[in-house]
Amino acid sequence: MVRCSNNLVGILNFIVFLLSIPILAGGIWLSQNGSTECEGFLDKPLIALGVFLMVVAIVGLIGSCCRVTWLLWTYLFVMFLLILLVFSITVFAFVVTNKGAGEKVSGRGYKEYRLGDYSNWLQKRVNSDKNWNKIRSCLADSKVCSKLEDKLVGVPVNNFYNEHLTALQSGCCKPSEQCQFTYVSATNWTKTAGTQPNPDCQSWDNAPNKLCFDCQSCKAGLLDNVKSAWKKVAVVNIIFLVFLIIVYSVGCCALRNNKRDGSYGYGYKP
């Protein structure tokens, strides 16, 4: 008689198998239809994740339902490594996103961002020219600044100053407040003469494909977005970790059932 734990492991892995199908399909679709470098960057991780989940689910399904003990041993070993990996990633995410926040600007509806406020590990990632060139291309493809320009076309300066900009819009689409540039439109500013205290002032360009994409404030705005996203992912990881531990525990019970019933070989023994 097949124990309840074996059936439960089988059901859970069947659900994981079903979930792996849209993940794998999404990765394949992106590899065939991704029109930007950002979209192309996502296809290989999605395909790898989809294949990994599918293979693990099949191994767990066969090992539990057919009571193939060596497959169940393999499944539990992989699950244990996965639990360690998810736990490590979750702790790491909380550590590297612990520092950094936008600074409120007097009389403005938005915040400004400084790269030095964020963790050294994150700073090194965006200070790498190779990494930043790819990120910069993604930012341009996302049209984050052109959307802001379209939204605030013809808006007077006081209305712009009261606007609640996102971290990316504040860091990448306008010059720093320290520059004291003259407002023309949301993404068009007239430079003032004299020495500027902030090096980002020299990086500013009114060209739509340049703006402040090479500014330190743009990198800081991106890191603030990354920080918010990683904290949300970390919460999801905790839920996923609990799920993995439950599945692992049930899998251990299924393995014990196999041993108790003498199913040490390649299939079910009556």
Short mmCIF file of all heavy atoms in Angstrom, two decimals, residues 103 112 114 175-181 192 195-199 201:
data_model
loop_
_atom_site.label_atom_id
_atom_site.label_comp_id
_atom_site.label_asym_id
_atom_site.label_seq_id
_atom_site.Cartn_x
_atom_site.Cartn_y
_atom_site.Cartn_z
N GLU A 103 16.98 60.97 -0.59
CA GLU A 103 16.97 62.12 0.30
C GLU A 103 15.89 63.11 -0.13
O GLU A 103 15.79 63.46 -1.30
CB GLU A 103 18.34 62.82 0.26
CG GLU A 103 19.48 61.96 0.77
CD GLU A 103 20.82 62.68 0.69
OE1 GLU A 103 20.83 63.84 0.21
OE2 GLU A 103 21.82 62.10 1.10
N GLU A 112 16.06 62.82 -4.16
CA GLU A 112 17.27 62.66 -4.96
C GLU A 112 18.12 61.55 -4.33
O GLU A 112 18.01 61.26 -3.14
CB GLU A 112 18.04 63.97 -5.06
CG GLU A 112 17.31 65.00 -5.91
CD GLU A 112 18.25 66.04 -6.51
OE1 GLU A 112 19.28 66.34 -5.89
OE2 GLU A 112 17.92 66.56 -7.59
N ARG A 114 21.94 59.36 -3.97
CA ARG A 114 23.41 59.41 -4.02
C ARG A 114 23.95 57.99 -4.03
O ARG A 114 23.56 57.16 -3.20
CB ARG A 114 23.97 60.18 -2.84
CG ARG A 114 23.58 61.67 -2.83
CD ARG A 114 24.40 62.48 -1.84
NE ARG A 114 24.42 61.84 -0.51
CZ ARG A 114 25.53 61.55 0.15
NH1 ARG A 114 26.70 61.82 -0.37
NH2 ARG A 114 25.47 61.00 1.35
N PRO A 175 18.54 66.86 -14.15
CA PRO A 175 19.80 67.14 -13.46
C PRO A 175 19.60 67.28 -11.96
O PRO A 175 18.48 67.49 -11.49
CB PRO A 175 20.25 68.46 -14.08
CG PRO A 175 18.97 69.11 -14.51
CD PRO A 175 18.05 68.01 -14.93
N SER A 176 20.68 67.17 -11.22
CA SER A 176 20.62 67.33 -9.77
C SER A 176 20.21 68.75 -9.40
O SER A 176 20.46 69.71 -10.14
CB SER A 176 21.99 67.02 -9.18
OG SER A 176 22.07 67.40 -7.82
N GLU A 177 19.58 68.88 -8.24
CA GLU A 177 19.20 70.21 -7.74
C GLU A 177 20.43 71.10 -7.54
O GLU A 177 20.36 72.32 -7.68
CB GLU A 177 18.45 70.06 -6.41
CG GLU A 177 17.07 69.46 -6.51
CD GLU A 177 16.08 70.39 -7.19
OE1 GLU A 177 16.11 71.61 -6.89
OE2 GLU A 177 15.29 69.91 -8.02
N GLN A 178 21.57 70.50 -7.23
CA GLN A 178 22.79 71.26 -7.01
C GLN A 178 23.27 71.98 -8.28
O GLN A 178 24.01 72.96 -8.20
CB GLN A 178 23.91 70.33 -6.51
CG GLN A 178 23.64 69.74 -5.14
CD GLN A 178 24.74 68.79 -4.70
OE1 GLN A 178 25.60 68.40 -5.50
NE2 GLN A 178 24.72 68.41 -3.44
N CYS A 179 22.86 71.49 -9.44
CA CYS A 179 23.30 72.10 -10.70
C CYS A 179 22.69 73.48 -10.94
O CYS A 179 23.27 74.31 -11.64
CB CYS A 179 22.97 71.18 -11.87
SG CYS A 179 23.73 69.54 -11.76
N GLN A 180 21.48 73.70 -10.38
CA GLN A 180 20.79 74.97 -10.54
C GLN A 180 20.56 75.32 -12.02
O GLN A 180 20.68 76.48 -12.43
CB GLN A 180 21.58 76.10 -9.85
CG GLN A 180 21.71 75.96 -8.34
CD GLN A 180 20.37 76.09 -7.62
OE1 GLN A 180 19.65 77.08 -7.78
NE2 GLN A 180 20.03 75.07 -6.84
N PHE A 181 20.22 74.31 -12.83
CA PHE A 181 19.91 74.56 -14.24
C PHE A 181 18.53 75.20 -14.36
O PHE A 181 17.69 75.10 -13.47
CB PHE A 181 19.93 73.24 -15.03
CG PHE A 181 21.30 72.64 -15.19
CD1 PHE A 181 21.46 71.37 -15.70
CD2 PHE A 181 22.45 73.36 -14.86
CE1 PHE A 181 22.71 70.81 -15.86
CE2 PHE A 181 23.72 72.82 -15.02
CZ PHE A 181 23.85 71.53 -15.51
N THR A 192 23.76 76.46 -16.62
CA THR A 192 24.21 77.78 -16.16
C THR A 192 25.73 77.84 -16.18
O THR A 192 26.41 76.82 -16.06
CB THR A 192 23.70 78.06 -14.73
OG1 THR A 192 24.12 76.98 -13.88
CG2 THR A 192 22.19 78.16 -14.71
N THR A 195 31.44 77.00 -12.36
CA THR A 195 31.85 75.67 -11.90
C THR A 195 30.73 75.02 -11.10
O THR A 195 30.15 75.63 -10.21
CB THR A 195 33.11 75.75 -11.02
OG1 THR A 195 34.14 76.42 -11.77
CG2 THR A 195 33.59 74.37 -10.62
N GLN A 196 30.43 73.77 -11.43
CA GLN A 196 29.36 73.05 -10.76
C GLN A 196 29.95 72.14 -9.68
O GLN A 196 30.96 71.47 -9.91
CB GLN A 196 28.56 72.21 -11.76
CG GLN A 196 27.96 73.02 -12.91
CD GLN A 196 26.91 73.99 -12.45
OE1 GLN A 196 26.39 73.86 -11.34
NE2 GLN A 196 26.59 74.98 -13.28
N PRO A 197 29.33 72.10 -8.49
CA PRO A 197 29.87 71.29 -7.39
C PRO A 197 29.68 69.80 -7.58
O PRO A 197 30.37 68.99 -6.97
CB PRO A 197 29.08 71.79 -6.18
CG PRO A 197 27.77 72.25 -6.76
CD PRO A 197 28.11 72.82 -8.11
N ASN A 198 28.73 69.43 -8.42
CA ASN A 198 28.38 68.03 -8.61
C ASN A 198 28.85 67.57 -10.00
O ASN A 198 28.47 68.17 -11.00
CB ASN A 198 26.87 67.86 -8.47
CG ASN A 198 26.44 66.40 -8.39
OD1 ASN A 198 27.10 65.53 -8.95
ND2 ASN A 198 25.34 66.14 -7.71
N PRO A 199 29.68 66.53 -10.09
CA PRO A 199 30.16 66.05 -11.40
C PRO A 199 29.03 65.62 -12.33
O PRO A 199 29.21 65.60 -13.55
CB PRO A 199 31.08 64.88 -11.05
CG PRO A 199 30.71 64.48 -9.66
CD PRO A 199 30.24 65.73 -8.99
N CYS A 201 26.57 67.30 -13.05
CA CYS A 201 26.17 68.48 -13.82
C CYS A 201 26.88 68.50 -15.18
O CYS A 201 26.31 68.92 -16.19
CB CYS A 201 26.48 69.77 -13.05
SG CYS A 201 25.67 69.86 -11.43
#
